Amino acid sequence: MSASELPLSATAPRRQIVTLQAHILQQQALHPGASGDFSWILSALSISAKMIASQVRRARLEDVLGGVGNQNVQGEQQQKLDVIANDILLRTLSGREGVAIVASEENEEPVILRDEQTGDRKYCVLFDPLDGSSNLDVCGAVGTIFSILRQDRRSAKQEDSLLQPGTQQVAAGYVLYGSSTVFTLTLGKGVDMFVLDPSIGAFVRVEQQMRIPRANKSYSLNEGNRLTFPEGYQKYLHWAQENGYSSRYAGAMVGDVHRILLQGGVFMYPPTKKAPNGKLRLMYEANPMGMIVEQAGGKALAAPGQRLLDVPPTDIHQRTPVIMGSPDEVDHVIRHLQSG
Ligand code: P6P
């Protein structure tokens, strides 16, 4: 009788089946005094991900592709699904007791869900509801990125509570709507990955305490902007191409960083002529993705010597250059930036 024919009990223990919901409750149990507010917020993000995944996968069938005909606060063409995804997240999070403030790429101003009189609202949730949405029309990678901060009650204005550096994030993660729907989460003690099993409607854990590969000869950036990159980036690209590096770019940060988290490499969005401070938003793109990468053993910088998570925010929509990925690969980029 081969091992595969043996009853489960007689073979090496198979991977436990742990859903995202079970993982959330396991983590809550580690904090006996926890009210459950934080768990309910994560649960809202999980249900939002399932609802958005369903919309994304049916977009062409239900004719909800394309733009709505106006620009968002970022000056970018707003896609119909940007609005739908944003609405789903606002409606699920607004029903959670622990959420005081929500900030979205799609909303110019934060949404204050509770005022001072309604008790101890503890958390701020920031998100990009559908990162890379311009990929939707061509069935490319799109994702949701989220960041959770504790409300800083010392702030004179509630919305100032959002302006905390990335090191203050209590949780961060992303959902990738790709060939499968992947939910990747860090609560500050490592990175866990879950895949949606549509047959049961649950996210099932597939990776625990992920570690990003130390190195991989692969870089990810939009080379169409090469001539407007600062010289150090151009020197890096020349070195990388002389040393057999491959180039991979999905046009959606979630897709590119997910690949690098699994296979290694480096993702960059340098300053360009059109975006002198970089294109990516610090609070709900760079910081959450940077926390995930750091928690997996990688590096996330805005510039040489400037850790992303230490960048002091002054505006919830501010932009930043981004260099993140395998530690050795980030070091190669920084070495060329420092060589001037
Ligand atoms: P470009 C998507 O619009 C996004 O915000 C990121 O997800 C992505 O990495 C970047 O912009 C792509 O920008 O200028 O290369 O199209």
Side-chain angles (χ1 to χ4, degrees), residues 138-332:
V138 295
C139 205
V142 292
T144 297
I145 309 174
F146 60 87
S147 170
I148 303 178
L149 296 165
R150 279 195 183 77
Q151 184 178 206
D152 178 355
R153 306 187 68 80
R154 294 164 303 175
S155 308
K157 286 169 44 187
Q158 270 195 291
E159 51 269 41
D160 291 348
S161 193
L162 293 165
L163 300 179
Q164 300 178 53
T167 49
Q168 298 304 305
Q169 295 174 103
V170 293
Y174 64 82
V175 186
L176 174 60
Y177 311 103
S179 52
S180 56
T181 301
V182 178
F183 194 111
T184 303
L185 174 67
T186 181
L187 304 178
K189 291 185 172 57
V191 178
D192 298 298
M193 187 173 284
F194 304 80
V195 170
L196 181 63
D197 179 342
S199 67
I200 59 172
F203 282 104
V204 179
R205 192 167 67 193
V206 294
E207 298 284 355
Q208 265 185 294
Q209 296 299 303
M210 298 180 71
R211 303 307 289 168
I212 192 170
R214 197 165 179 81
N216 182 29
K217 287 188 171 185
S218 178
Y219 64 78
S220 180
L221 82 170
N222 184 340
E223 293 196 63
N225 299 319
R226 183 175 64 83
L227 296 179
T228 70
F229 290 158
E231 190 181 359
Y233 286 96
Q234 303 198 32
K235 284 184 176 177
Y236 164 78
L237 287 174
H238 185 80
W239 171 84
Q241 288 158 13
E242 280 190 327
N243 285 272
Y245 276 61
S246 66
S247 171
R248 292 285 183 278
Y249 192 65
M253 184 184 195
V254 174
D256 286 315
V257 176
H258 178 74
R259 180 189 62 252
I260 288 165
L261 186 62
L262 291 170
Q263 298 178 348
V266 60
F267 172 81
M268 293 164 273
Y269 206 102
T272 65
K273 186 175 179 182
K274 185 181 170 190
N277 296 317
K279 175 186 178 187
L280 302 180
R281 273 62 56 149
L282 174 68
M283 298 306 293
Y284 42 78
E285 288 178 325
N287 273 344
M289 300 305 281
M291 183 179 183
I292 287 277
V293 168
E294 282 198 355
Q295 284 288 318
K299 290 184 176 181
L301 303 176
Q306 176 61 70
R307 182 188 177 204
L308 260 183
L309 272 59
D310 286 334
V311 173
T314 55
D315 179 275
I316 60 168
H317 296 300
Q318 78 184 63
R319 299 171 188 266
T320 177
V322 167
I323 306 160
M324 63 171 73
S326 299
D328 292 0
E329 303 305 335
V330 170
D331 289 349
H332 289 313

Side-chain angles (χ1 to χ4, degrees), residues 83-100:
V83 176
I84 292 170
N86 195 50
D87 184 55
I88 287 170
L89 282 155
L90 289 174
R91 285 191 292 132
T92 53
L93 289 166
S94 61
R96 295 303 197 246
E97 287 298 304
V99 183

